[in-house]
Amino acid sequence: LSPNMFTGSGIDRVDIYSNGTITVPADVALNLAPGGELTLVAGSSSDPADPHAAIAPSLMMDGTVTIPGGQLTLSSRQTRAISTGIDNYQAIEVGSAAKINLSGMWVNDSPLLNPDGAFGPVFTDGGAFTVDTSGDVSLSAGSMVDVSGGAQVLADGQVNAGRGGDVALASNGVGATTLSIDGEVRSDALGKGGTLAVTVDGIRIQNATTDYQPRDGELLLGPDFFASHGFSNYKLVATKLGIAIADDI
């Protein structure tokens, strides 16, 4: 599919389903209208003859997606039987070059700038980014997900502050799966920040200097993680290993 299908076409709701993999390379930019929605649902990745061979992600997002105040959903599902296991073939990776901008609009309706009056609609709230799979989830170092809120300056000078948007990351398989958040995720806003929801096998909150070897499928989070991204609410769900908080927190 050509990215030109999304730009300037007037289409603001796009759902793409594949029985195999979906890849958005680093040189591809997808731009939808404000408030738009893009959903990508991939199937099972290839089943290599060697069960120990590296398995490509079912969905690889390494490009740029811009939807002011919009929604981006990345999902994968099993579309055929896999001889060497299921979960790893549903992996979703947000690559190091990925830039996902769902932040709200900044609008100035001052009569000095817009003598003919305000334009609309206005999407000042941050959007929503969702990753949902039974396989591994990886937000690679260098990637960026921005669901920050914008604002609107009214004709009388008052400011309507947009709220921060929401991010939901879920790696919920039958076997052991992993979720890593090495990229930048933010929901800054003049108004209230959004919600970051994480579902993974296990979660441990500890200082970076703590000497601890995580278990397979366990996500390690430091105290700074909860103070540096702009979110007002956090929802943490551990499906197999529970949630632990280190004694030195």
Side-chain angles (χ1 to χ4, degrees):
L1 297 176
S2 169
N4 294 331
M5 294 177 57
F6 303 90
T7 303
S9 64
I11 299 174
D12 59 4
R13 302 289 188 276
V14 179
D15 293 350
I16 297 177
Y17 295 82
S18 171
N19 284 328
T21 61
I22 295 178
T23 301
V24 181
D27 60 350
V28 169
L30 304 178
N31 302 295
L32 269 66
E37 300 176 11
L38 174 60
T39 299
L40 304 179
V41 181
S44 303
S45 61
S46 59
D47 184 4
D50 179 2
H52 301 292
I55 301 171
S58 176
L59 197 160
M60 177 64 178
M61 169 60 70
D62 209 19
T64 299
V65 177
T66 303
I67 314 173
Q71 300 180 33
L72 173 61
T73 299
L74 308 180
S75 181
S76 62
R77 61 185 62 178
Q78 184 189 3
T79 53
R80 59 184 177 82
I82 301 296
S83 61
T84 57
I86 296 175
D87 296 333
N88 285 341
Y89 293 89
Q90 268 65 61
I92 296 179
E93 180 177 350
V94 178
S96 59
K99 298 293 182 285
I100 298 170
N101 188 353
L102 310 176
S103 59
M105 300 169 64
W106 290 84
V107 180
N108 191 338
D109 287 334
S110 166
L112 297 177
L113 298 177
N114 297 298
D116 296 329
F119 67 90
V122 174
F123 295 89
T124 56
D125 290 342
F129 176 64
T130 302
V131 178
D132 186 11
T133 179
S134 61
D136 296 343
V137 173
S138 174
L139 270 61
S140 303
S143 65
M144 185 273 289
V145 176
D146 190 354
V147 294
S148 298
Q152 179 184 19
V153 178
L154 303 178
D156 61 4
Q158 297 187 62
V159 176
N160 283 342
R163 68 177 295 274
D166 301 324
V167 172
L169 309 172
S171 171
N172 189 11
V174 176
T177 57
T178 62
L179 188 151
S180 61
I181 308 174
D182 297 319
E184 182 178 1
V185 182
R186 58 191 179 203
S187 180
D188 300 315
L190 295 178
K192 185 178 180 180
T195 297
L196 175 60
V198 176
T199 301
V200 67
D201 288 4
I203 297 172
R204 180 179 173 87
I205 302 171
Q206 65 174 44
N207 289 311
T209 57
T210 302
D211 185 13
Y212 175 79
Q213 181 62 39
R215 294 171 288 176
D216 290 343
E218 191 172 37
L219 173 65
L220 299 184
L221 298 175
D224 292 344
F225 178 83
F226 299 93
S228 58
H229 298 280
F231 292 97
S232 294
N233 305 294
Y234 291 85
K235 180 181 179 181
L236 306 180
V237 177
T239 58
K240 301 181 183 70
L241 304 176
I243 298 176
I245 300 177
D247 294 337
D248 58 352
I249 294 298

